[in-house]
Amino acid sequence: MALPDPGPGSRPAPAVGPVAGDQTVLQTLRALDTGPRGLTEAEAGHRLARSGPNTLPTARPISLPVRFWRSLRDPFTAVLFCLGLVSAVVSAWGTACVILALVIVSCALRARGEHRADRAGAGLRELVAGTASVRRRDSADAEPQAREIPVDDLVPGDVVRLAPGDLVPADLRLIKAHGLTVQQAALTGESAPAPKHPVDAPAADDTAHLCFQGSSVASGSGTGIVVATGADTRFAAVRGTGRGRTAERARDGTGPSPAPLSAFDRSVHGISWTLIRFMLITPPLVLMANAALRGRGLETLPFAVAVAVGLTPEMLPVIVTTCLARGAALLARGHGVIVRRLPALHDLGAVDVLCVDKTGTLTQDRPVVDPGRTDPDALHWAAVSAWWTLQAAELPHPDPLDEALLDAADLDRVETYDPVDALPFDPVRRLATAVVREPGALGTHLLVVKGAVEEVVERCAFDDPAEREKLLAEAAAAAGDGVRLLAVATAHRPARARGYTPADERGLAFHGFVAFHDALADTAHDAVRALAGQGVTVKVLTGDHPATAARACRDLGIDPGEVTVGAQTADLDDRALAELAARTTVFARCTPADKARVVAALRLHGHTVGFLGDGVNDLPALRAADVGVCPRDGVDVAREDADVVLAEKDLTAIGHAVDAGRHSSANIASYLRITLSSNLGNVIAMLAAGLLLPFLPMLPAQVLVQNLCFDGAQLALAHDRPDPAALRRPTVLRPRAFLRSLTGFGVLGALADLTTFGVLAWVLPGTLDLGDQEGFHAGWFTENLLTQALVMLLLRTGRRTAEGRTPTPVRRSATALAAVGIVLPLSPLGPLLGMTGLPLIYYPLLAAVLALYAAALVALRRRMPQPQGETSQP
């Protein structure tokens, strides 16, 4: 029965706000002064002006002072701050002031970097803003038309159409639905999709007729009236109570269990916490060693604090934020790749397995009907199913297969039927059914079913059981030739008023096959070859027939090996599936759950996994991957869940994103390698000299000023350009291997420092008996900054041997650092820091030590593996 249309504008518009969920449909329409035909554009404009945009309440932009305060929560900064407080307690004011300066500089740089990254990210997110399909009219007498408008422009009273994959854009009261199920874990925490259907007079606690903002359409279609927008929605209320975040963690059905650690968490965070533990035990060790061997007490506490500070890579948060934000901005400007979560760029650089669906990535999105292999009768009935499912279910647009069917069929014949009901396609059932009434056929309904060959044939009735096997063999042969088949069947049923369900798709009469050609994507071959050159293995997870998927892989030069069907993985435990996934290239006939299990198994096997998907059936796999990637034209919910959004569904763009991720990761690795190896060498030398010399080898203020200069120079690493040869493998920082390899560089630096002590003892004969502490301090300060400048140039990731004399940011910074090391002790600041000038003979001797150090550094690096280039292979 048609719903009454109260006719908007017949009385003054009501105040816009939430509508009681237990009202009848007619009461709801009257309360909102709307009808099934939708609002006029003028009325919608007036309501938008009154109610405001359909956006959730957001906190005010975080100011720079607040960001500065929050930066103190960083573990390294917090440890530094505590060390500064300890220095102040023991009245080591010079040490405390320099530590405070380090904290202020680090927090200021980080706050500024995060502020710029957030502003850039907000601009990028606007590029992928969602839209909604609404029914509106130009005037009160005009016919309603379906229009795509920005979600922000929705107002109460709008009539919205929902299709599979759509995010529910506001709170809706359903007036029509066809097989509609909604995933609303973000609100309720329930993992299973909830069925939704219109209810004219619902109970007070019934929500089956309501779709809430923040949920997504899992299957089916529906039409609803917007009853609440923005701050008035249920989602805004849940988010305001703090329940939203917990519920979102349950969106994949795992409840409150934490997600597996990402590549970023396993690398940068792993190294950070290892260093923090080492820093915390350093001061007590220094104090105990000096007390035992030199009889010194708390007077060495400032020195112990300075040693701990020397181990701290306090600029790590600044370098990480700067590298990732800069890489994301360059990707967006140059290649249309939008990084929605900054750490995902690091994870892209670590990806060594990329899982993709076949359609739209390896092949084009638009299949074409092959008339030579298609039964004309089957084509007609398939088009009937496509057209009337589209109309009866009020889907906004056909999918690519339906579009190909409608292009190839005679629409005049197709439109002679009358629609009754529809069961839209869903990825688990793999069928779509239209229920129609044939012209002149009273008392009967006709079910027209199309879908995957196995699913349709299983539901058909055959006089000869061998016919079923014959059809399946025919389909397998066609799939082996790279042809996609759609099976079509029909069934007559007595007419009835109640709706149809999947249980009615039984006892069908088989009509034939419709064949499609999937042309390879234009850039697929080059992209796959480029990814292989980058050390990324492409695996195909598809719902297609095994032979079809294998044929497409062979055409692209990918050896499919033995294809595994999704059903074969059902009985495997996680470890067995991980071993199978590691050696399998193609998984066919995959359900959404199958795809997610394969992705999770690959991660269990030690791989860093990216997944490229664009449909509702790809959601579990997108969430299970280290990096979820979605094209801009993917369904709303997939795009919203993805970490990275592509302008086009093109593997070439993935290659550019992988390069950018490796570039950023390489620069982060450069900073870690340079600062940790240099700092470790200095700390070893400080501890040794502190135990051997009758005075402190370097005053705490000198240690901290040197650290501040080194940190400032290393900011240039965020703008470095690694050699392309260093980006040919996934960049995974494995904490234990990384820290172990740095020990050699640290010991080598300590040897250079100890050799410098010997030179100073010869140049300044009174050094070892308290004769010339200022000269010793000046000599080691200069040597420290010069060796650190060398380390910056020689331990960069894949440093370019062909740079020639081209000035680069790192070269300029290293030169400035070396100049500070030479000039500062000779300047008026030198005596203030406890340093004095040195004899001229010291400088050529120091140059010889530095030359030997540089040669040893280069030789050691050539012999040691590159920890940032190790893939996470087991």
Side-chain angles (χ1 to χ4, degrees):
M1 181 179 69
L3 292 171
D5 190 347
S10 58
R11 59 183 174 276
V16 176
V19 174
D22 57 352
Q23 293 180 346
T24 66
V25 174
L26 184 58
Q27 288 173 330
T28 299
L29 293 174
R30 286 177 173 170
L32 294 170
D33 192 21
T34 188
R37 299 174 68 228
L39 300 173
T40 64
E41 289 289 353
E43 177 64 17
H46 292 321
R47 296 190 183 195
L48 183 62
R50 287 198 308 273
S51 63
N54 177 35
T55 55
L56 291 173
T58 56
R60 289 179 298 177
I62 302 175
S63 64
L64 282 173
V66 173
R67 289 186 187 277
F68 181 90
W69 176 253
R70 290 182 177 180
S71 297
L72 291 173
R73 301 176 186 174
D74 175 75
F76 287 128
T77 306
V79 170
L80 275 180
F81 190 73
C82 292
L83 293 175
L85 290 179
V86 171
S87 300
V89 168
V90 297
S91 300
W93 299 111
T95 301
C97 288
V98 177
I99 291 178
L100 180 62
L102 283 171
V103 170
I104 291 173
V105 169
S106 174
C107 290
L109 289 173
R110 183 177 184 183
R112 179 173 176 270
E114 289 182 349
H115 181 67
R116 293 179 63 183
D118 279 357
R119 284 196 306 174
L124 295 178
R125 285 190 288 273
E126 290 179 0
L127 297 177
V128 292
T131 62
S133 177
V134 301
R135 189 181 294 163
R136 283 188 180 174
R137 296 172 289 161
D138 292 326
S139 64
D141 298 328
E143 287 298 315
Q145 295 179 345
R147 302 175 184 180
E148 289 287 327
I149 67 169
V151 168
D152 293 357
D153 293 345
L154 284 177
V155 295
D158 262 326
V159 178
V160 176
R161 297 198 301 178
L162 299 175
D166 284 351
L167 287 172
V168 178
D171 285 358
L172 307 179
R173 169 72 181 265
L174 289 174
I175 58 176
K176 188 181 295 185
H178 296 275
L180 182 64
T181 63
V182 172
Q183 178 61 262
Q184 51 188 23
L187 292 163
T188 65
E190 298 173 357
S191 59
K196 298 288 183 177
H197 52 84
V199 179
D200 185 56
D205 58 349
D206 186 12
T207 61
H209 61 297
L210 299 173
C211 293
F212 300 110
Q213 184 182 44
S215 55
S216 59
V217 179
S219 62
S221 63
T223 302
I225 303 293
V226 175
V227 297
T229 60
D232 294 328
T233 61
R234 179 79 62 91
F235 187 64
V238 170
R239 200 172 74 159
T241 63
R243 287 163 42 207
R245 182 180 299 274
T246 302
E248 285 172 3
R249 291 172 60 186
R251 62 184 179 177
D252 58 355
T254 60
S257 301
L261 292 177
S262 69
F264 183 82
D265 295 326
R266 294 193 301 266
S267 57
V268 176
H269 288 176
I271 292 173
S272 299
W273 286 108
T274 300
L275 289 174
I276 287 171
R277 288 192 289 268
F278 192 31
M279 287 164 52
L280 292 176
I281 66 172
T282 297
L285 289 178
V286 173
L287 288 174
M288 288 188 293
N290 275 276
L293 299 178
R294 285 288 178 178
R296 298 167 183 161
L298 286 179
E299 67 271 15
T300 61
L301 181 59
F303 176 70
V305 168
V307 171
V309 172
L311 278 172
T312 310
E314 59 275 356
M315 289 296 157
L316 180 59
V318 180
I319 294 290
V320 168
T321 301
T322 304
C323 286
L324 297 180
R326 184 169 181 269
L330 292 175
L331 265 181
R333 288 198 301 266
H335 303 288
V337 178
I338 300 166
V339 180
R340 304 182 72 248
R341 181 178 65 87
L342 275 186
L345 187 60
H346 170 277
D347 295 345
L348 272 173
V351 163
D352 62 322
V353 174
L354 177 65
C355 297
V356 301
D357 190 11
K358 180 179 70 66
T359 304
T361 53
L362 303 181
T363 61
Q364 295 180 6
D365 271 325
R366 293 186 173 274
V368 178
V369 172
D370 182 355
R373 291 176 175 261
T374 295
D375 185 300
D377 184 55
L379 174 61
H380 167 73
W381 288 116
V384 169
S385 176
W387 178 254
W388 291 114
T389 299
L390 189 68
Q391 302 303 316
E394 295 190 351
L395 297 173
H397 46 74
D399 66 24
L401 281 179
D402 286 348
E403 195 168 0
L405 289 170
L406 297 176
D407 287 341
D410 182 356
L411 285 184
D412 290 336
R413 287 184 60 203
V414 169
E415 292 176 349
T416 59
Y417 302 89
D418 294 322
V420 175
D421 200 356
L423 299 173
F425 178 86
D426 76 66
V428 176
R429 200 169 102 259
R430 297 198 297 163
L431 297 173
T433 298
V435 184
V436 298
R437 184 182 298 109
E438 297 177 279
L442 300 177
T444 61
H445 289 164
L446 179 65
L447 277 69
V448 186
V449 183
K450 63 178 176 61
V453 173
E454 295 90 341
E455 304 298 336
V456 173
V457 170
E458 179 186 349
R459 290 164 171 78
C460 289
F462 296 100
D463 294 332
D464 183 0
E467 184 68 18
R468 179 178 283 106
E469 299 302 323
K470 178 182 176 182
L471 290 173
L472 293 176
E474 181 182 341
D481 292 334
V483 177
R484 296 179 66 185
L485 291 182
L486 195 69
V488 186
T490 62
H492 286 89
R493 298 285 187 266
R496 70 192 196 196
R498 61 186 175 88
Y500 287 82
T501 69
D504 295 305
E505 298 168 331
R506 290 287 186 272
L508 308 177
F510 185 77
H511 279 272
F513 296 123
V514 179
F516 299 87
H517 277 312
D518 273 341
L520 294 178
D522 295 336
T523 60
H525 189 277
D526 292 339
V528 169
R529 185 170 56 186
L531 287 169
Q534 293 174 309
V536 178
T537 301
V538 176
K539 294 182 182 289
V540 179
L541 311 182
T542 180
D544 277 349
H545 192 281
T548 305
R551 174 64 180 271
C553 289
R554 283 192 293 269
D555 290 344
L556 289 169
I558 301 174
D559 181 7
E562 183 178 350
V563 180
T564 298
V565 177
Q568 297 175 239
T569 67
D571 297 329
L572 300 178
D573 60 25
D574 290 342
R575 187 163 299 279
L577 180 57
E579 295 174 357
L580 175 65
R583 63 176 186 267
T584 301
T585 300
V586 179
F587 288 85
R589 290 297 189 224
C590 289
T591 66
D594 293 334
K595 293 182 180 182
R597 280 201 72 205
V598 170
V599 169
L602 287 167
R603 293 185 66 186
L604 180 64
H605 206 258
H607 294 282
T608 303
V609 184
F611 185 86
L612 173 60
D614 66 343
V616 179
N617 59 328
D618 295 320
L619 287 177
L622 283 170
R623 295 165 180 167
D626 287 282
V627 186
V629 185
C630 179
R632 188 173 178 177
D633 58 356
V635 298
D636 291 347
V637 67
R639 195 172 64 238
E640 188 69 20
D641 272 23
D643 302 304
V644 177
V645 178
L646 309 179
E648 303 291 341
K649 186 157 53 173
D650 181 2
L651 284 177
T652 304
I654 296 281
H656 293 307
V658 168
D659 266 341
R662 292 181 183 179
H663 190 139
S664 299
S665 299
N667 287 342
I668 294 171
S670 288
Y671 169 77
L672 286 170
R673 187 186 313 104
I674 290 168
T675 194
L676 295 181
S677 60
S678 179
N679 290 354
L680 180 60
N682 286 343
V683 167
I684 293 173
M686 284 182 189
L687 293 176
L691 298 177
L692 297 175
L693 297 176
F695 55 87
L696 295 179
M698 190 178 287
L699 298 179
Q702 295 165 357
V703 175
L704 299 173
V705 168
Q706 166 196 283
N707 207 33
L708 183 62
C709 294
F710 190 31
D711 287 337
Q714 288 182 100
L715 292 176
L717 291 170
H719 302 276
D720 195 18
R721 292 173 296 172
D723 194 303
L727 307 180
R728 291 174 185 165
R729 294 180 297 170
T731 50
V732 178
L733 289 165
R734 297 199 291 184
R736 291 185 180 178
F738 189 87
L739 295 172
R740 187 167 54 246
S741 68
L742 294 182
T743 304
F745 296 125
V747 170
L748 187 59
L751 290 176
D753 289 340
L754 294 175
T755 303
T756 302
F757 295 168
V759 171
L760 287 170
W762 183 72
V763 173
L764 304 171
T767 294
L768 297 182
D769 55 3
L770 300 176
D772 193 356
Q773 296 182 42
E774 292 80 6
F776 185 93
H777 293 158
W780 194 26
F781 183 89
T782 297
E783 185 264 351
N784 261 336
L785 291 189
L786 291 177
T787 55
Q788 287 169 343
L790 277 177
V791 168
M792 283 184 63
L793 295 173
L794 299 178
L795 291 190
R796 295 153 54 198
T797 298
R799 63 189 183 89
R800 294 176 175 233
T801 57
E803 282 179 338
R805 298 182 180 179
T806 304
T808 64
V810 174
R811 284 190 170 187
R812 286 192 290 265
S813 291
T815 302
L817 183 65
V820 170
I822 295 172
V823 173
L824 185 61
L826 305 176
S827 72
L829 292 176
L832 295 177
L833 292 173
M835 295 184 289
T836 187
L838 292 163
L840 291 179
I841 187 62
Y842 171 71
Y843 295 101
L845 293 175
L846 177 60
V849 172
L850 294 176
L852 292 173
Y853 174 62
L857 202 60
V858 171
L860 181 61
R861 178 164 185 183
R862 288 176 177 172
R863 295 188 59 185
M864 297 187 72
Q866 298 296 320
Q868 80 284 355
E870 294 176 3
T871 60
S872 51
Q873 302 287 343

